[in-house]
Amino acid sequence: MVSPLERKLLRDLWRIKGQALAIGLVIALGVLMLVMMDGLVNTLDETRQAYYQRYRLADVFVSVKRAPNSVLESLGHITGISAVEGRVTGDALIDLADVAIPLRAQAVSLPDLGSPRLNAVLLTAGRMLDARRADEILLLDGFARARQLKPGDVLAATVKGTRREFTIVGLAQSPEFLYTTAPGEMVPDDGRFAVFWMSRTALAALYDMKGAFNEALLATTRQARLPAILDQADAVVKAYGGLGAYGLEDQTSNRFVSEEISGLRASAVGVPPIFLAVAAFLLYIVISRLVQSEREQIGLLKAFGYSSAEVSGHYLKLVLVIASGGAIVGSIMGIAAGHSMAVFYQHYFKFPFIVFQLDPRAFVTGFGVSIVTASVGGLLVLKQVFVLTPAVAMRPAAPPDYRQSGQGLQRLYHWLDQPSRMVLRRVLRQPGRMAGSVAGIATGMALSVGMTTVLTGFDRAIDLTFSVVDRSDASVTFIQPMGDKAVFELQALEGVTYVEPFRNVAVVFRHGRYSYRGAIYGLTNTARLYRALDAAHNPMLLDQQGIVIAQPLANMLHIRPGEVITVDVREGHQPVLHIPVIGVADTLLGAPTYMDINWLNRYLHEPERISGAYLSLDSHSRDSVYQAIKNMPAVAGMTLKSDRLAAFVNMMDSGAGAMRYIMMLVAAAITFGIVYNAARIAYAERERDLASLRVIGFTRGEVAFVLLGELALVTLLALPLGSVLGYYLSMGVAQGFSTDLYQIPATFSAANYGVAGVSVLLAAVASGWLVKRDIDRMDMVSALKSKE
């Protein structure tokens, strides 16, 4: 049997259905984001781990110049090693007829017989290699699709200065190359970097590695201690030109994937609580006003014997029904959205399969958090129910004293018509309620400001990186460090207007217990084409013997200017250097470090050596420059800035950065829900008053003006407050989107605030139209009756 309080609950829900739906929408979106993001992160992480395990991705990579195969046995004796695989790898250049510049590639060997013990490949088209055919290759599937290559095509490549032609017999994927990035670059691009596999015998012959290897792959046991294994592996291969062993976490492709997943995880942790907090605030406003409007009914219920706990439980049930409904809808929508996003990221990350993983804790967390946040908003109000005695509650509340309110505006009243006076009196006589509405709409404004600022921040990151930091047209990288004579050779090419050399050295930075595997960029002190910039985006001088590090790296290593950083060089004689930090650079791409190229060469005892050069080109002679550089045997690769820019934009629009568009849509929905809820609350509170105005002769337009004028005034008052809140929210959201790969600045502009303000105003107009429609349809007889 349905109790009287339960019947009242159903009537109350129906009466405030507009507000309930608006609040439920906010809660649903918050839970949707939580379930979707949590499920997406778990799915990607599980899929990555399953892919790595199924195709036996190595845990440790050991690079050497050249070591005999017998060294593999010594590596296998290291404590904690379960499997060892030796292979040959090398750089190559691919020459495509429809591409002006040479494309960089990496050649990797596969065993002549059977599959490798580690780092196996997945054949996606064609067949596997025939070890008897030295000209057969497997080509990375992503590059083949980007360049429209297929099995049976012939691919021309330059290997160790010799041009050769290979037949593509199959396309393959590998967990080692989820992200394909040319050495020294930060931005992945399927079409600009290729990987091809050859039989071990054929590739060893090309790179003079018969009976030898230049990279060892190690698999570790679960109990293995990675730092000890890396130290022992370095000791084993030191005599053979070891270049430094590193773990899977520092493997290029895995680092990119991990950064993308970390960015999604940060969004999953930071964004949903904002929406749920907004929902709790809205519930607080709705329930507080509902309790105030039903003061006499509360007194009657208590007079008929209902306890304070029972009456409070009734209103708490109202809160829980709204919150539970929103949580259920949000969970269902979150599952659907998470599955769709997982399929999208499967193609983005090039996973051959997807392990869709929904953690039940996400549902429990989403449901629990929505209930708790909603209950907090309601419980703050329900304490008013406990203190109301029947005698006090059934008496009308003491009329407020308005003698002091608005006295300074009496003259202004003479210039206003009657509806305008009503609007102004309402705002002045009930400042607490108006402040709540202003705060709610300001929150919506802050969400809009935050998301538009992030959108602008992505554009700002692109502009600073490719217009202010990098002002070159192209860059050239050499196979190995060259003498400065190479600068003059490049400068002599027709069409090259300016050449700026650089030195790129692979290192491991250490500061206390913190470390980071990266590189030092040696630049000229008068750099024009590629510059280190300070926080004000002014060029930094590098004419000292110290090092300038990027702000993200300074944060990771917990180091400041004036302190000394340890640099473990991973090439050449591999010295361990101790260099003072002389400055912190502002960068939005990666975590680079800079030094004066002359000082860097002095530290390495390799004077006048360069790794490559940035070029400024004459737009009318670029094709001749490309052809000339193609014919240079010492060139490892050439990159056009326009190609890097396109790859960077694609990365931010299709990876974790694409989530900003989804969040922008969610923020817009939240903003509308907040504004609409404020309008519905105002209408519910004043429905009887508005009906009275209609009875005494006010027109529908005048009655609507009384309510909508209040909404307009509250909305205008909320805009400046929302702008201030949006300023701080923007910094938090931008930080959440930033990763080690790229940093998103919180860029503030009048346009951002203008767009956010217009979105709030449009939401107010739409909400006002919906409420006016209800005013026009209002049944005055029902509105003037008692609610119970």
Side-chain angles (χ1 to χ4, degrees):
M1 181 176 178
V2 180
S3 67
L5 284 180
E6 290 174 341
R7 288 197 297 269
K8 174 176 168 53
L9 174 64
L10 295 176
R11 287 197 299 269
D12 286 343
L13 284 171
W14 178 253
R15 182 157 47 88
I16 64 168
K17 56 183 177 296
Q19 298 99 294
L21 288 174
I23 297 170
L25 172 65
V26 176
I27 293 176
L29 289 173
V31 175
L32 179 150
M33 293 295 297
L34 182 65
V35 173
M36 181 189 74
M37 297 295 290
D38 187 87
L40 180 60
V41 170
N42 289 332
T43 295
L44 294 178
D45 205 28
E46 287 293 327
T47 301
R48 177 180 59 168
Q49 295 301 326
Y51 191 22
Y52 287 0
Q53 292 174 8
R54 191 173 301 180
Y55 291 90
R56 306 180 295 281
L57 184 63
D59 299 307
V60 176
F61 298 78
V62 185
S63 298
V64 298
K65 290 185 177 179
R66 189 180 191 278
N69 290 334
S70 58
V71 176
L72 296 174
E73 184 176 354
S74 300
L75 291 172
H77 290 158
I78 297 175
T79 302
I81 297 300
S82 60
V84 179
E85 178 84 25
R87 68 181 185 180
V88 176
T89 65
D91 295 328
L93 288 178
I94 290 179
D95 186 6
L96 298 178
D98 58 344
V99 180
I101 63 174
L103 301 175
R104 301 187 68 175
Q106 181 177 349
V108 182
S109 70
L110 289 175
D112 292 345
L113 298 175
S115 61
R117 300 182 64 187
L118 299 173
N119 290 29
V121 299
L122 170 65
L123 191 68
T124 59
R127 61 172 176 83
M128 293 297 292
L129 299 170
D130 184 348
R132 296 169 298 179
R133 302 288 302 273
D135 63 339
E136 291 187 353
I137 63 172
L138 297 179
L139 187 62
L140 186 66
D141 184 85
F143 179 82
R145 293 180 184 276
R147 294 299 179 182
Q148 298 181 349
L149 298 171
K150 60 185 183 301
D153 291 345
V154 176
L155 191 68
T158 301
V159 179
K160 294 200 70 174
T162 303
R163 180 183 171 87
R164 300 176 181 271
E165 290 188 347
F166 301 98
T167 300
I168 303 171
V169 297
L171 306 181
Q173 288 180 293
S174 168
E176 184 181 359
F177 301 106
L178 291 175
Y179 264 30
T180 51
T181 307
E185 292 193 23
M186 292 293 296
V187 181
D189 187 350
D190 289 340
R192 292 194 302 115
F193 183 72
V195 179
F196 61 87
W197 291 266
M198 295 181 64
S199 67
R200 174 71 177 271
T201 300
L203 194 60
L206 292 178
Y207 287 97
D208 191 24
M209 289 284 173
K210 186 177 181 180
F213 68 93
N214 60 5
E215 186 175 35
L217 309 174
L218 312 180
T220 62
T221 61
R222 293 184 177 181
Q223 296 77 23
R225 295 181 62 252
L226 183 61
I229 290 177
L230 296 181
D231 290 340
Q232 294 180 61
D234 285 338
V236 170
V237 300
K238 183 177 181 180
Y240 304 98
L243 302 177
Y246 57 91
L248 180 59
E249 64 179 9
D250 288 323
Q251 196 263 345
T252 302
S253 174
N254 181 67
R255 178 185 284 187
F256 280 112
V257 175
S258 298
E259 284 298 326
E260 291 283 358
I261 295 177
S262 296
L264 292 172
R265 182 175 285 112
S267 299
V269 172
V271 175
I274 296 175
F275 299 151
L276 294 175
V278 171
F281 176 72
L282 293 179
L283 272 175
Y284 169 75
I285 295 175
V286 170
I287 300 302
S288 64
R289 295 186 179 183
L290 185 63
V291 168
Q292 292 169 4
S293 66
E294 297 188 352
R295 175 189 176 94
E296 294 182 10
Q297 298 168 26
I298 292 172
L300 282 172
L301 289 171
K302 288 190 174 183
F304 277 104
Y306 289 97
S307 66
S308 295
E310 289 175 320
V311 177
S312 299
H314 161 73
Y315 290 101
L316 183 59
K317 287 179 183 178
L318 184 67
V319 172
L320 296 180
V321 168
I322 296 174
S324 300
I328 293 172
V329 173
S331 297
I332 296 173
M333 295 170 60
I335 295 173
H339 188 271
S340 299
M341 291 300 296
V343 173
F344 165 78
Y345 274 98
Q346 177 186 0
H347 297 292
Y348 175 70
F349 284 122
K350 306 178 189 65
F351 290 130
F353 55 85
I354 195 76
V355 181
F356 190 65
Q357 184 73 30
L358 280 175
D359 190 346
R361 290 176 297 181
F363 298 100
V364 175
T365 301
F367 201 89
V369 170
S370 61
I371 296 298
V372 170
T373 53
S375 299
V376 169
L379 290 174
L380 292 175
V381 178
L382 295 183
K383 63 181 182 180
Q384 302 174 21
V385 176
F386 277 88
V387 301
L388 282 175
T389 62
V392 173
M394 293 174 65
R395 286 200 308 265
D401 185 3
Y402 295 136
R403 289 177 298 177
Q404 302 300 322
S405 64
Q407 288 187 357
L409 299 176
Q410 291 297 327
R411 295 182 179 178
L412 180 60
Y413 287 158
H414 295 295
W415 297 93
L416 301 176
D417 56 15
Q418 192 62 40
S420 299
R421 294 180 191 178
M422 293 180 183
V423 172
L424 194 57
R425 287 195 188 110
R426 166 86 171 177
V427 173
L428 294 176
R429 291 178 176 180
Q430 295 180 328
R433 293 189 180 186
M434 296 303 104
S437 298
V438 168
I441 297 176
T443 304
M445 172 72 175
L447 288 174
S448 297
V449 170
M451 295 315 302
T452 54
T453 298
V454 168
L455 291 178
T456 305
F458 274 82
D459 295 335
R460 180 63 172 163
I462 294 172
D463 181 65
L464 285 176
T465 301
F466 295 96
S467 297
V468 180
V469 174
D470 187 356
R471 303 193 299 180
S472 67
D473 295 315
S475 61
V476 172
T477 305
F478 300 123
I479 295 175
Q480 60 186 4
M482 306 285 291
D484 58 3
K485 180 183 177 182
V487 175
F488 299 104
E489 293 179 357
L490 291 172
Q491 187 69 64
L493 296 178
E494 182 181 356
V496 175
T497 58
Y498 187 74
V499 177
E500 188 173 279
F502 67 85
R503 180 78 191 269
N504 185 10
V505 180
V507 301
V508 175
F509 299 103
R510 307 185 194 279
H511 181 247
R513 60 188 178 91
Y514 304 102
S515 64
Y516 180 82
R517 190 178 185 90
I520 297 178
Y521 293 88
L523 305 176
T524 61
N525 187 42
T526 57
R528 291 165 44 188
L529 301 184
Y530 194 94
R531 308 177 298 170
L533 304 178
D534 59 19
H537 303 146
N538 296 317
M540 302 182 70
L541 296 178
L542 304 175
D543 58 349
Q544 304 178 47
Q545 61 181 357
I547 191 171
V548 172
I549 65 176
Q551 185 64 60
L553 182 58
N555 296 336
M556 285 186 283
L557 297 179
H558 296 78
I559 195 170
R560 297 176 297 177
E563 297 181 327
V564 176
I565 189 172
T566 301
V567 179
D568 189 353
V569 179
R570 293 300 188 174
E571 62 181 61
H573 300 292
Q574 301 187 24
V576 177
L577 309 174
H578 302 280
I579 306 176
V581 177
I582 60 173
V584 175
D586 185 41
T587 180
L588 301 176
L589 181 60
T593 59
Y594 307 101
M595 283 188 69
D596 178 81
I597 188 171
N598 295 321
W599 274 108
L600 177 58
N601 285 329
R602 290 181 190 177
Y603 272 114
L604 300 177
H605 302 290
E606 297 176 355
E608 300 180 348
R609 310 297 286 179
I610 64 173
S611 302
Y614 295 102
L615 309 179
S616 180
L617 306 177
D618 182 352
S619 59
H620 300 291
S621 305
R622 294 192 175 193
D623 290 341
S624 62
V625 173
Y626 301 154
Q627 187 59 46
I629 291 177
K630 268 187 178 183
N631 298 327
M632 290 185 174
V635 172
M638 181 179 186
T639 302
L640 301 182
K641 187 177 73 171
S642 58
D643 290 340
R644 291 201 302 121
L645 172 59
F648 187 63
V649 171
N650 179 69
M651 178 187 69
M652 292 203 297
D653 284 345
S654 57
M659 193 60 64
R660 68 190 190 272
Y661 297 114
I662 297 176
M663 292 185 178
M664 185 67 189
L665 294 175
V666 172
I670 292 291
T671 300
F672 174 77
I674 292 173
V675 178
Y676 177 70
N677 188 76
R680 291 295 311 179
I681 290 174
Y683 174 68
E685 287 182 339
R686 306 194 66 185
E687 183 178 12
R688 191 169 185 178
D689 295 339
L690 297 175
S692 300
L693 292 177
R694 288 282 291 120
V695 169
I696 63 178
F698 280 75
T699 66
R700 290 180 177 179
E702 290 173 326
V703 172
F705 178 81
V706 171
L707 183 63
L708 300 184
E710 175 187 325
L711 175 63
L713 185 57
V714 167
T715 302
L716 293 176
L717 292 174
L719 294 182
L721 177 61
S723 299
V724 175
L725 294 177
Y727 174 84
Y728 294 101
L729 180 63
S730 298
M731 292 187 287
V733 175
Q735 183 64 34
F737 274 104
S738 299
T739 68
D740 287 348
L741 178 60
Y742 54 79
Q743 292 76 47
I744 302 303
T747 304
F748 304 98
S749 67
N752 292 338
Y753 290 96
V755 170
V758 169
S759 66
V760 172
L761 292 175
L762 290 176
V765 170
S767 301
W769 178 79
L770 292 173
V771 172
K772 184 181 183 304
R773 188 180 59 174
D774 291 341
I775 294 175
D776 294 341
R777 298 174 179 176
M778 181 172 54
D779 185 344
M780 290 182 286
V781 175
S782 299
L784 291 171
K785 287 182 178 180
S786 174
K787 295 301 180 184
E788 294 289 334

